[in-house]
Amino acid sequence: AAVGCALRDSGVRREEAFIVSKVNTPDHGFQETLRSVKASLSQLGLAYVDLMLIHSPIGGRLLETWDALLEARRRGWARQIGVSNFGQKHLQQLEASGRPPPAVNQFEVSPFCQEVELRHLCGQR
């Protein structure tokens, strides 16, 4: 809600801001994810977000959750959809399902966590 208020109070046009939100683990599943996306939009006071992510593969029901994000994009609630904290096996599971791939896989990279293989896999797509 604070992001939506800050955006409205800033005078910045909506098109000039890139807004990202995430579906948390308890909201995995088709209907649960659609409700979560709608709740995020309502809290933000926005008609759409620029990027909606599945926060984590933990919790399962990844394909149902991904299908719901595809539907949210189709409805115009999210311009792009992606994932966060997905490992190689999770990305390969999505790919093997034949569904459209995520636009983004947001994951931690630091001097202590290089994720070389995951970065290579993501860079190939």
Side-chain angles (χ1 to χ4, degrees):
V3 171
C5 288
L7 180 61
R8 284 185 297 283
D9 292 347
S10 72
V12 173
R13 291 185 15 231
R14 170 63 185 93
E15 299 77 26
E16 295 175 359
F18 192 88
I19 307 296
V20 180
S21 190
K22 293 182 178 181
V23 174
N24 288 316
T25 300
D27 298 317
H28 283 200
F30 191 85
Q31 293 301 327
E32 296 89 336
T33 295
L34 289 179
R35 278 193 296 273
S36 175
V37 172
K38 284 195 68 138
S40 291
L41 294 174
S42 178
Q43 290 172 0
L44 290 164
L46 299 174
Y48 69 92
V49 293
D50 298 285
L51 177 63
M52 181 63 73
L53 301 171
I54 298 173
H55 179 71
S56 169
I58 296 170
R61 298 175 23 176
L62 298 180
L63 296 180
E64 292 175 61
T65 303
W66 186 246
D67 287 344
L69 286 190
L70 290 168
E71 177 62 19
R73 184 176 66 184
R74 188 190 69 72
R75 293 181 185 186
W77 298 349
R79 294 243 169 118
Q80 289 296 329
I81 56 175
V83 297
S84 179
N85 302 307
F86 273 43
Q88 291 183 46
K89 73 174 186 174
H90 307 111
L91 294 172
Q92 290 164 342
Q93 179 184 3
L94 277 179
E95 184 176 24
S97 75
R99 289 160 171 84
V104 171
N105 181 23
Q106 178 191 61
F107 56 93
E108 177 185 2
V109 176
S110 73
F112 306 105
C113 182
Q114 294 289 307
E115 296 288 2
V116 174
E117 291 179 19
L118 185 56
R119 285 188 295 133
H120 180 71
L121 178 68
C122 291
Q124 292 177 333
R125 287 163 171 67

mmCIF file of all heavy atoms in Angstrom, residues 96-120:
data_model
loop_
_atom_site.group_PDB
_atom_site.id
_atom_site.type_symbol
_atom_site.label_atom_id
_atom_site.label_comp_id
_atom_site.label_asym_id
_atom_site.label_seq_id
_atom_site.Cartn_x
_atom_site.Cartn_y
_atom_site.Cartn_z
ATOM 1 N N ALA A 96 9.804 -28.033 -19.322
ATOM 2 C CA ALA A 96 9.314 -29.344 -19.748
ATOM 3 C C ALA A 96 7.791 -29.365 -19.879
ATOM 4 O O ALA A 96 7.243 -30.169 -20.631
ATOM 5 C CB ALA A 96 9.774 -30.421 -18.768
ATOM 6 N N SER A 97 7.109 -28.474 -19.182
ATOM 7 C CA SER A 97 5.646 -28.443 -19.232
ATOM 8 C C SER A 97 5.125 -27.843 -20.536
ATOM 9 O O SER A 97 3.931 -27.951 -20.823
ATOM 10 C CB SER A 97 5.097 -27.639 -18.045
ATOM 11 O OG SER A 97 5.300 -26.250 -18.260
ATOM 12 N N GLY A 98 6.002 -27.182 -21.284
ATOM 13 C CA GLY A 98 5.591 -26.568 -22.536
ATOM 14 C C GLY A 98 4.935 -25.207 -22.379
ATOM 15 O O GLY A 98 4.466 -24.623 -23.350
ATOM 16 N N ARG A 99 4.918 -24.691 -21.155
ATOM 17 C CA ARG A 99 4.320 -23.379 -20.926
ATOM 18 C C ARG A 99 5.306 -22.273 -21.316
ATOM 19 O O ARG A 99 6.510 -22.499 -21.346
ATOM 20 C CB ARG A 99 3.933 -23.238 -19.450
ATOM 21 C CG ARG A 99 2.743 -24.111 -19.072
ATOM 22 C CD ARG A 99 2.692 -24.319 -17.572
ATOM 23 N NE ARG A 99 1.474 -24.956 -17.123
ATOM 24 C CZ ARG A 99 1.264 -26.259 -17.123
ATOM 25 N NH1 ARG A 99 2.179 -27.092 -17.608
ATOM 26 N NH2 ARG A 99 0.138 -26.772 -16.664
ATOM 27 N N PRO A 100 4.808 -21.071 -21.569
ATOM 28 C CA PRO A 100 5.726 -19.960 -21.855
ATOM 29 C C PRO A 100 6.692 -19.755 -20.686
ATOM 30 O O PRO A 100 6.301 -19.902 -19.525
ATOM 31 C CB PRO A 100 4.793 -18.753 -22.011
ATOM 32 C CG PRO A 100 3.470 -19.344 -22.380
ATOM 33 C CD PRO A 100 3.404 -20.670 -21.676
ATOM 34 N N PRO A 101 7.936 -19.412 -20.976
ATOM 35 C CA PRO A 101 8.935 -19.275 -19.906
ATOM 36 C C PRO A 101 8.797 -17.963 -19.143
ATOM 37 O O PRO A 101 8.212 -17.001 -19.642
ATOM 38 C CB PRO A 101 10.262 -19.302 -20.682
ATOM 39 C CG PRO A 101 9.912 -18.707 -22.003
ATOM 40 C CD PRO A 101 8.504 -19.189 -22.300
ATOM 41 N N PRO A 102 9.362 -17.919 -17.940
ATOM 42 C CA PRO A 102 9.377 -16.667 -17.181
ATOM 43 C C PRO A 102 10.236 -15.619 -17.877
ATOM 44 O O PRO A 102 11.261 -15.952 -18.476
ATOM 45 C CB PRO A 102 9.996 -17.055 -15.838
ATOM 46 C CG PRO A 102 10.289 -18.508 -15.881
ATOM 47 C CD PRO A 102 9.997 -19.021 -17.234
ATOM 48 N N ALA A 103 9.834 -14.370 -17.762
ATOM 49 C CA ALA A 103 10.633 -13.271 -18.301
ATOM 50 C C ALA A 103 11.843 -13.008 -17.414
ATOM 51 O O ALA A 103 12.861 -12.498 -17.878
ATOM 52 C CB ALA A 103 9.782 -12.010 -18.416
ATOM 53 N N VAL A 104 11.732 -13.374 -16.136
ATOM 54 C CA VAL A 104 12.749 -13.060 -15.139
ATOM 55 C C VAL A 104 12.877 -14.219 -14.162
ATOM 56 O O VAL A 104 11.874 -14.827 -13.804
ATOM 57 C CB VAL A 104 12.338 -11.789 -14.335
ATOM 58 C CG1 VAL A 104 13.243 -11.551 -13.151
ATOM 59 C CG2 VAL A 104 12.286 -10.569 -15.220
ATOM 60 N N ASN A 105 14.107 -14.511 -13.741
ATOM 61 C CA ASN A 105 14.345 -15.335 -12.561
ATOM 62 C C ASN A 105 15.206 -14.494 -11.634
ATOM 63 O O ASN A 105 16.400 -14.335 -11.864
ATOM 64 C CB ASN A 105 15.042 -16.653 -12.876
ATOM 65 C CG ASN A 105 15.255 -17.517 -11.630
ATOM 66 O OD1 ASN A 105 14.556 -17.362 -10.632
ATOM 67 N ND2 ASN A 105 16.207 -18.418 -11.681
ATOM 68 N N GLN A 106 14.597 -13.940 -10.625
ATOM 69 C CA GLN A 106 15.315 -13.099 -9.667
ATOM 70 C C GLN A 106 15.928 -14.008 -8.606
ATOM 71 O O GLN A 106 15.218 -14.780 -7.964
ATOM 72 C CB GLN A 106 14.330 -12.115 -9.019
ATOM 73 C CG GLN A 106 14.947 -11.232 -7.973
ATOM 74 C CD GLN A 106 13.881 -10.481 -7.202
ATOM 75 O OE1 GLN A 106 13.032 -11.081 -6.560
ATOM 76 N NE2 GLN A 106 13.911 -9.170 -7.297
ATOM 77 N N PHE A 107 17.249 -13.937 -8.445
ATOM 78 C CA PHE A 107 17.908 -14.748 -7.422
ATOM 79 C C PHE A 107 19.148 -14.025 -6.943
ATOM 80 O O PHE A 107 19.674 -13.129 -7.610
ATOM 81 C CB PHE A 107 18.244 -16.158 -7.935
ATOM 82 C CG PHE A 107 19.094 -16.192 -9.175
ATOM 83 C CD1 PHE A 107 20.472 -16.285 -9.092
ATOM 84 C CD2 PHE A 107 18.507 -16.139 -10.428
ATOM 85 C CE1 PHE A 107 21.258 -16.318 -10.235
ATOM 86 C CE2 PHE A 107 19.281 -16.177 -11.581
ATOM 87 C CZ PHE A 107 20.663 -16.267 -11.480
ATOM 88 N N GLU A 108 19.603 -14.431 -5.774
ATOM 89 C CA GLU A 108 20.739 -13.786 -5.133
ATOM 90 C C GLU A 108 22.048 -14.176 -5.815
ATOM 91 O O GLU A 108 22.300 -15.350 -6.085
ATOM 92 C CB GLU A 108 20.815 -14.196 -3.664
ATOM 93 C CG GLU A 108 22.024 -13.613 -2.950
ATOM 94 C CD GLU A 108 22.175 -14.095 -1.523
ATOM 95 O OE1 GLU A 108 21.374 -14.920 -1.069
ATOM 96 O OE2 GLU A 108 23.124 -13.638 -0.871
ATOM 97 N N VAL A 109 22.865 -13.169 -6.064
ATOM 98 C CA VAL A 109 24.246 -13.365 -6.510
ATOM 99 C C VAL A 109 25.098 -12.404 -5.686
ATOM 100 O O VAL A 109 24.775 -11.218 -5.586
ATOM 101 C CB VAL A 109 24.418 -13.075 -8.011
ATOM 102 C CG1 VAL A 109 25.876 -13.194 -8.434
ATOM 103 C CG2 VAL A 109 23.561 -14.008 -8.848
ATOM 104 N N SER A 110 26.131 -12.941 -5.080
ATOM 105 C CA SER A 110 27.037 -12.122 -4.280
ATOM 106 C C SER A 110 28.420 -12.744 -4.364
ATOM 107 O O SER A 110 28.579 -13.833 -4.917
ATOM 108 C CB SER A 110 26.557 -12.070 -2.824
ATOM 109 O OG SER A 110 26.796 -13.316 -2.188
ATOM 110 N N PRO A 111 29.425 -12.087 -3.799
ATOM 111 C CA PRO A 111 30.757 -12.701 -3.806
ATOM 112 C C PRO A 111 30.771 -14.071 -3.128
ATOM 113 O O PRO A 111 31.596 -14.914 -3.445
ATOM 114 C CB PRO A 111 31.605 -11.707 -3.024
ATOM 115 C CG PRO A 111 30.931 -10.401 -3.226
ATOM 116 C CD PRO A 111 29.461 -10.729 -3.261
ATOM 117 N N PHE A 112 29.823 -14.305 -2.234
ATOM 118 C CA PHE A 112 29.775 -15.563 -1.494
ATOM 119 C C PHE A 112 28.769 -16.556 -2.074
ATOM 120 O O PHE A 112 28.665 -17.679 -1.604
ATOM 121 C CB PHE A 112 29.440 -15.291 -0.026
ATOM 122 C CG PHE A 112 30.375 -14.283 0.584
ATOM 123 C CD1 PHE A 112 29.965 -12.986 0.820
ATOM 124 C CD2 PHE A 112 31.691 -14.628 0.879
ATOM 125 C CE1 PHE A 112 30.827 -12.056 1.370
ATOM 126 C CE2 PHE A 112 32.566 -13.709 1.414
ATOM 127 C CZ PHE A 112 32.139 -12.418 1.668
ATOM 128 N N CYS A 113 28.019 -16.139 -3.044
ATOM 129 C CA CYS A 113 26.976 -16.972 -3.665
ATOM 130 C C CYS A 113 26.967 -16.650 -5.155
ATOM 131 O O CYS A 113 26.214 -15.790 -5.603
ATOM 132 C CB CYS A 113 25.623 -16.659 -3.022
ATOM 133 S SG CYS A 113 24.276 -17.645 -3.665
ATOM 134 N N GLN A 114 27.811 -17.334 -5.905
ATOM 135 C CA GLN A 114 28.007 -16.991 -7.317
ATOM 136 C C GLN A 114 26.940 -17.534 -8.267
ATOM 137 O O GLN A 114 26.686 -16.933 -9.296
ATOM 138 C CB GLN A 114 29.387 -17.465 -7.777
ATOM 139 C CG GLN A 114 30.522 -16.727 -7.101
ATOM 140 C CD GLN A 114 30.625 -15.302 -7.573
ATOM 141 O OE1 GLN A 114 30.694 -15.058 -8.767
ATOM 142 N NE2 GLN A 114 30.617 -14.356 -6.650
ATOM 143 N N GLU A 115 26.355 -18.680 -7.946
ATOM 144 C CA GLU A 115 25.298 -19.280 -8.783
ATOM 145 C C GLU A 115 25.709 -19.356 -10.261
ATOM 146 O O GLU A 115 24.949 -19.001 -11.163
ATOM 147 C CB GLU A 115 23.986 -18.505 -8.646
ATOM 148 C CG GLU A 115 23.379 -18.539 -7.273
ATOM 149 C CD GLU A 115 22.772 -19.884 -6.902
ATOM 150 O OE1 GLU A 115 22.847 -20.831 -7.689
ATOM 151 O OE2 GLU A 115 22.228 -19.969 -5.790
ATOM 152 N N VAL A 116 26.920 -19.837 -10.510
ATOM 153 C CA VAL A 116 27.484 -19.860 -11.863
ATOM 154 C C VAL A 116 26.609 -20.673 -12.820
ATOM 155 O O VAL A 116 26.268 -20.208 -13.913
ATOM 156 C CB VAL A 116 28.930 -20.405 -11.844
ATOM 157 C CG1 VAL A 116 29.476 -20.571 -13.249
ATOM 158 C CG2 VAL A 116 29.822 -19.475 -11.019
ATOM 159 N N GLU A 117 26.235 -21.891 -12.429
ATOM 160 C CA GLU A 117 25.443 -22.749 -13.317
ATOM 161 C C GLU A 117 24.059 -22.161 -13.584
ATOM 162 O O GLU A 117 23.564 -22.207 -14.714
ATOM 163 C CB GLU A 117 25.322 -24.149 -12.737
ATOM 164 C CG GLU A 117 26.632 -24.911 -12.735
ATOM 165 C CD GLU A 117 26.502 -26.293 -12.121
ATOM 166 O OE1 GLU A 117 25.371 -26.812 -12.020
ATOM 167 O OE2 GLU A 117 27.544 -26.858 -11.735
ATOM 168 N N LEU A 118 23.430 -21.605 -12.547
ATOM 169 C CA LEU A 118 22.109 -21.009 -12.716
ATOM 170 C C LEU A 118 22.185 -19.779 -13.610
ATOM 171 O O LEU A 118 21.339 -19.586 -14.495
ATOM 172 C CB LEU A 118 21.502 -20.669 -11.354
ATOM 173 C CG LEU A 118 20.075 -20.135 -11.343
ATOM 174 C CD1 LEU A 118 19.106 -21.086 -12.046
ATOM 175 C CD2 LEU A 118 19.621 -19.877 -9.911
ATOM 176 N N ARG A 119 23.202 -18.954 -13.421
ATOM 177 C CA ARG A 119 23.370 -17.779 -14.289
ATOM 178 C C ARG A 119 23.584 -18.210 -15.740
ATOM 179 O O ARG A 119 23.047 -17.600 -16.660
ATOM 180 C CB ARG A 119 24.527 -16.906 -13.823
ATOM 181 C CG ARG A 119 24.189 -16.100 -12.569
ATOM 182 C CD ARG A 119 25.254 -15.084 -12.215
ATOM 183 N NE ARG A 119 26.491 -15.756 -11.868
ATOM 184 C CZ ARG A 119 27.698 -15.417 -12.326
ATOM 185 N NH1 ARG A 119 27.844 -14.421 -13.167
ATOM 186 N NH2 ARG A 119 28.768 -16.089 -11.942
ATOM 187 N N HIS A 120 24.349 -19.273 -15.927
ATOM 188 C CA HIS A 120 24.586 -19.784 -17.284
ATOM 189 C C HIS A 120 23.269 -20.260 -17.911
ATOM 190 O O HIS A 120 22.964 -19.942 -19.064
ATOM 191 C CB HIS A 120 25.622 -20.911 -17.254
ATOM 192 C CG HIS A 120 25.910 -21.487 -18.591
ATOM 193 N ND1 HIS A 120 26.616 -20.819 -19.567
ATOM 194 C CD2 HIS A 120 25.552 -22.672 -19.136
ATOM 195 C CE1 HIS A 120 26.695 -21.560 -20.645
ATOM 196 N NE2 HIS A 120 26.057 -22.703 -20.414
#
